[in-house]
Amino acid sequence: MASISNPHRVAVVTGGTTGIGAAICRAFQAAGVIVAATYPDDDAHAAAFTEQTGIPTFKWSVANYQACVDGIARVEAALGPVDILVNNAGITRDSSFAKMLPEQWREVIEVDLIGCLNMAHTVFAGMRSRKWGRIVSISSINGQAGQFGQVNYAAAKAGVLGFTKALALEGARSGVTVNAVAPGYTDTEMVRAVPADVLAGITAKIPVGRLGQPAEIARSVAFLCAEEAGYITGATLSVNGGQYMA
């Protein structure tokens, strides 16, 4: 793994107590980064995560801008200025478009896309003033290729890619890189909730013949946040076992 060589870097991973987010937190911790995980609701799970890993957790909804401002202030008071932001928090509200309710669209857009804006806007100025920063947002194969029953999710995750490219242009000369990782189907609770027959059909279409592992996504994120990755910005790293080649 490429190194994040400054031992005083502080990272915030949204949705960091479960699935891919938890794996990213552990990867940062192993690289010597000071890391904080955010979560929206499950206090008991967050407490157990902290007990298991020693990683502090902070509760707020990324869909609420003021909550992000207040939350980052709490993180920085406890740990120091935020150098690395991973926009990992995401939800699904799947439905065919004909049956999709406006609130299903709105909830996904607010968390999965507007959440990236809220979090990045809160830390971006500080990163630029210190002339170093890393922002990585988790998109999805379904934001690249589309997926039946996920018009809301695909739109949000595709929006993340445009957000990444545009913000990368604004951060580049200040040493702030902005990239995206687009995972394919990964062995998380969200994917395991898919009916077994449907999941078997999905897996059969993945050229490497299996689901991804959260640790594989985490290694990709850690690489983009490394000191050595300073020449990579505005990029989307697809980690999908060959299922979709952009």
Side-chain angles (χ1 to χ4, degrees):
M1 183 187 298
S3 64
I4 304 173
S5 58
N6 188 324
H8 302 296
R9 298 294 186 204
V10 174
V12 171
V13 180
T14 66
T17 64
T18 61
I20 290 172
I24 293 168
C25 285
R26 290 187 173 95
F28 281 152
Q29 186 182 52
V33 174
I34 302 166
V35 58
T38 82
Y39 70 101
D41 47 32
D42 192 338
D43 295 330
H45 182 84
F49 176 79
T50 297
E51 184 176 355
Q52 292 165 5
T53 64
I55 295 170
T57 57
F58 296 81
K59 182 180 180 179
W60 74 79
S61 170
V62 298
N64 183 312
Y65 180 78
Q66 190 59 49
C68 293
V69 172
D70 295 342
I72 289 296
R74 287 189 284 126
V75 170
E76 294 193 329
L79 305 177
V82 173
D83 302 295
I84 298 167
L85 168 65
V86 180
N87 287 312
N88 170 74
I91 62 171
T92 57
R93 298 288 185 268
D94 294 352
S95 171
S96 65
F97 186 67
K99 297 179 180 178
M100 183 172 290
L101 301 174
E103 53 264 35
Q104 291 175 298
W105 169 273
R106 187 166 49 249
E107 287 174 5
V108 171
I109 296 296
E110 286 177 349
V111 173
D112 295 29
L113 179 57
I114 297 177
C116 293
L117 159 71
N118 291 343
M119 290 297 300
H121 194 264
T122 304
V123 301
F124 189 64
M127 290 178 177
R128 288 209 301 176
S129 70
R130 295 186 297 275
K131 303 298 182 183
W132 199 96
R134 299 285 188 264
I135 298 173
V136 177
S137 299
I138 305 302
S139 181
S140 169
I141 187 175
N142 292 341
Q144 297 173 302
Q147 176 62 42
F148 183 93
Q150 287 196 325
V151 169
N152 48 5
Y153 184 77
K157 292 302 188 178
V160 167
L161 302 181
F163 166 87
T164 294
K165 293 174 184 178
L167 189 59
L169 296 174
E170 297 194 26
R173 290 194 179 273
S174 299
V176 181
T177 68
V178 187
N179 293 291
V181 172
Y185 288 88
T186 305
D187 188 13
T188 63
E189 290 181 6
M190 182 184 294
V191 170
R192 287 194 296 271
V194 173
D197 59 331
V198 175
L199 187 56
I202 291 171
T203 305
K205 295 178 182 178
I206 301 173
V208 301
R210 63 174 177 84
L211 299 176
Q213 292 301 310
E216 293 175 305
I217 311 304
R219 283 193 290 272
S220 302
V221 173
F223 163 71
L224 291 171
C225 294
E227 302 285 342
E228 299 93 329
Y231 201 56
I232 303 172
T233 196
T236 298
L237 181 55
S238 296
V239 189
N240 60 37
Q243 187 176 3
Y244 181 81
M245 302 182 188

